[in-house]
Amino acid sequence: MAEFEPKIVAFVCNWCTYAGADLTGTSRIKYASNVRILRFPCTGRIDYMLLLKAFDEGADGIIVSGCHPNDCHYTSGNFHARRRWIMFRSLCDFTGIDTRRIKFSWVSAAEGAKWADIVNTTVASIRELGPYTEYKIVANNPVKEVSHG
Amino acid sequence: MDDLRKRAKELLETSAVKVVIGYEQGTANKTRALFVEKAEDADCLIFDSRCVQNLATYVTKREVKDKGKMAITATLPVMRSIIQLASEFQVNDNNLLVLGITPESKLVEFKNLSEVETFVHQYQIEIDAKNKEMLDKIAKMTQAERWKFWIDELSPCFKCYACRAACPMCYCHRCTVDFNQPQWIPVPSHELGNLEWHIMRAIHLTGRCIDCDACYNACPLAIPINLLTKRMLEDVKINFGSYQPSIKADHLMSTYKPDDKENFIQ
């Protein structure tokens, strides 16, 4: 069997991490190709439901990344996002969702090397954890037949 | 609770309020909500230890609101809900009069909502020992055990939304689950959709839930969904300081501090 290739979804903000990832490319830094980048206007727009849907659709890992605190293009989007992540991560942990598979980071537009590093370490750790079968089994369960008899 | 009945009668006779929300004797030794609009009906009002339904649910309902000024029989959790609703601009002094019932079962009438707030702030929101034990038990499980626990617990849920209907904080006219473009939460009873629905509910109630257990009491399958909101309540206390609903306060999740602490962002 071929080696397991993790599917990683990255939710990034337009102003910092997306530009940072762009810099990684223009600097010709090589990094793992397992990541699918989704560009958002701001980390404040990254709804927790989107993360759940990513797992639902078969992601093995998730990266959420945006501007460093105080650097938000919209002044406070990342502060709001941070509060939400604190609570969401804790709830995920409580409900048994594997929080090791969700990586949160701040990557600025100047940190091309950091982006490559974040992706590489995430891919390596997810490769070690293996596919997220727990979630996939539940996601692929057929809908129960309900009898009204 | 003769004084409650007497006061309700007075309020309705003088037209100080148009409707008094309280409890009446229901079927099978249960109590149910009663909306008194005529002074002579006030005799049906009762209050005893069986009255656990959170009546604050009704003060945001159009059909009740439209009657005019409301008076509500409010136990401590109901008063807390009212204060939270006031901070979200859902109720105010012009449309709501609170007939408070203290934990010692005494009737106190509040002139305005800030008096209610002062009263409510005398008591801390505490999670009871039994549920605390359960929270600790779940926290001690491994991640895989927790996953199994919640998938098993939530799988019988058929999304009747009784928890949503019973919750005073779930007053949106259109809830996320009512939308089908996009369909965030799958409609059929399915483990994943059920989990997503309960996660969503808990997140939406973060920093707003006052731990009245109305959702759990309403659940026909007695799924311990209140554990999710209780856990969120504990986390709010740990991360953002103590939690007490206050009229003037911003909603915890729509505000921030530049020095909010976390330990997981790289």
Side-chain angles (χ1 to χ4, degrees):
Chain A
M1 209 179 99
E3 202 194 343
F4 159 64
E5 280 301 332
K7 231 185 235 181
I8 314 278
V9 182
F11 295 87
V12 305
C13 95
N14 177 35
W15 303 100
C16 290
T17 308
Y18 194 83
D22 217 7
L23 181 67
T24 321
T26 47
S27 318
R28 300 192 175 275
I29 302 170
K30 265 199 164 172
Y31 67 99
S33 57
N34 304 55
V35 66
R36 283 103 169 126
I37 295 179
L38 301 176
R39 178 163 67 150
F40 284 75
C42 177
T43 39
R45 170 64 182 86
I46 302 170
D47 195 299
Y48 59 94
M49 279 307 285
L50 296 168
L51 310 193
L52 292 179
K53 287 294 156 190
F55 280 139
D56 195 356
E57 299 286 327
D60 300 301
I62 292 173
I63 298 173
V64 184
S65 183
C67 308
H68 284 266
N70 290 319
D71 284 349
C72 180
H73 186 76
Y74 308 101
T75 320
S76 60
N78 55 358
F79 286 132
H80 287 288
R82 181 168 64 184
R83 271 215 167 179
R84 204 176 306 146
W85 296 345
I86 292 172
M87 299 313 285
F88 177 65
R89 191 172 180 278
S90 158
L91 187 61
C92 279
D93 188 48
F94 188 65
T95 50
I97 292 171
D98 194 347
T99 44
R100 290 171 300 177
R101 293 176 185 273
I102 313 177
K103 174 95 118 209
F104 295 96
S105 64
W106 308 126
V107 175
S108 82
E111 294 175 322
K114 184 179 175 185
W115 174 248
D117 184 50
I118 294 272
V119 173
N120 286 335
T121 51
T122 309
V123 170
S125 70
I126 302 292
R127 206 184 288 275
E128 211 164 282
L129 290 170
Y132 197 2
T133 34
E134 242 179 348
Y135 208 94
K136 281 174 196 165
I137 288 170
V138 173
N140 294 328
N141 270 354
V143 173
K144 282 171 289 198
E145 288 285 331
V146 181
S147 83
H148 298 281
Chain B
M1 276 274 128
D2 280 337
D3 34 358
L4 173 67
R5 281 185 281 267
K6 208 176 124 217
R7 187 69 191 124
K9 210 172 264 183
E10 274 170 24
L11 286 168
L12 288 164
E13 270 164 0
T14 56
S15 286
V17 300
K18 292 278 178 262
V19 57
V20 178
I21 309 171
Y23 301 94
E24 72 170 334
Q25 178 64 45
T27 48
N29 199 29
K30 291 238 166 84
T31 59
R32 64 184 171 211
L34 174 68
F35 303 86
V36 191
E37 289 178 78
K38 290 190 202 114
E40 61 263 33
D41 295 340
D43 290 329
C44 297
L45 283 171
I46 58 162
F47 183 82
D48 54 42
S49 58
R50 294 170 301 161
C51 302
V52 290
Q53 188 195 353
N54 193 332
L55 294 179
T57 320
Y58 297 111
V59 298
T60 52
K61 296 276 181 284
R62 196 84 183 268
E63 52 273 37
V64 184
K65 242 180 171 173
D66 284 354
K67 289 184 198 297
K69 185 158 181 173
M70 304 168 280
I72 185 169
T73 319
T75 53
L76 187 56
V78 179
M79 284 189 253
R80 284 185 182 131
S81 307
I82 287 166
I83 295 305
Q84 182 62 33
L85 287 171
S87 81
E88 295 172 19
F89 307 105
Q90 297 302 311
V91 290
N92 55 47
D93 286 324
N94 296 327
N95 69 5
L96 189 67
L97 180 75
V98 177
L99 301 171
I101 293 170
T102 64
E104 297 82 32
S105 293
K106 283 219 177 62
L107 182 75
V108 270
E109 192 178 325
F110 297 101
K111 278 199 211 71
N112 51 41
L113 292 175
S114 49
E115 274 189 22
V116 180
E117 187 181 23
T118 321
F119 179 81
V120 161
H121 284 188
Q122 294 169 31
Y123 304 90
Q124 287 297 316
I125 301 180
E126 294 288 348
I127 294 166
D128 57 301
K130 199 173 136 246
N131 282 307
K132 202 146 204 170
E133 199 181 301
M134 199 59 203
L135 285 177
D136 289 341
K137 199 181 130 196
I138 298 171
K140 282 200 191 95
M141 291 178 184
T142 63
Q143 177 253 322
E145 283 168 352
R146 273 198 295 270
W147 176 254
K148 191 174 175 311
F149 172 85
W150 281 111
I151 292 297
D152 287 350
E153 283 288 347
L154 298 177
S155 70
C157 169
F158 48 89
K159 297 205 211 76
C160 65
Y161 302 130
C163 44
R164 183 183 68 175
C167 179
M169 296 309 148
C170 282
Y171 55 75
C172 294
H173 288 296
R174 283 195 79 191
C175 175
T176 316
V177 285
D178 298 333
F179 285 95
N180 54 10
Q181 285 201 338
Q183 181 97 54
W184 283 109
I185 315 272
V187 178
S189 171
H190 181 273
E191 287 93 335
L192 196 72
N194 292 352
L195 180 73
E196 285 173 344
W197 155 242
H198 288 290
I199 286 183
M200 193 197 90
R201 215 180 73 80
I203 289 271
H204 286 185
L205 290 170
T206 302
R208 305 169 63 229
C209 171
I210 51 85
D211 195 28
C212 68
D213 285 347
C215 50
Y216 174 67
N217 292 333
C219 181
L221 297 167
I223 301 171
I225 43 176
N226 55 344
L227 289 176
L228 296 170
T229 45
K230 280 177 201 294
R231 168 64 190 249
M232 289 288 92
L233 191 73
E234 291 225 306
D235 282 340
V236 163
K237 282 187 190 163
I238 294 166
N239 291 301
F240 313 124
S242 70
Y243 171 64
Q244 270 288 9
S246 347
I247 298 174
K248 291 265 150 39
D250 280 328
H251 170 31
L252 269 172
M253 296 308 281
S254 53
T255 179
Y256 66 89
K257 282 200 184 113
D259 53 353
D260 281 335
K261 291 277 173 295
E262 44 57 42
N263 55 9
F264 56 87
I265 305 180
Q266 277 198 344

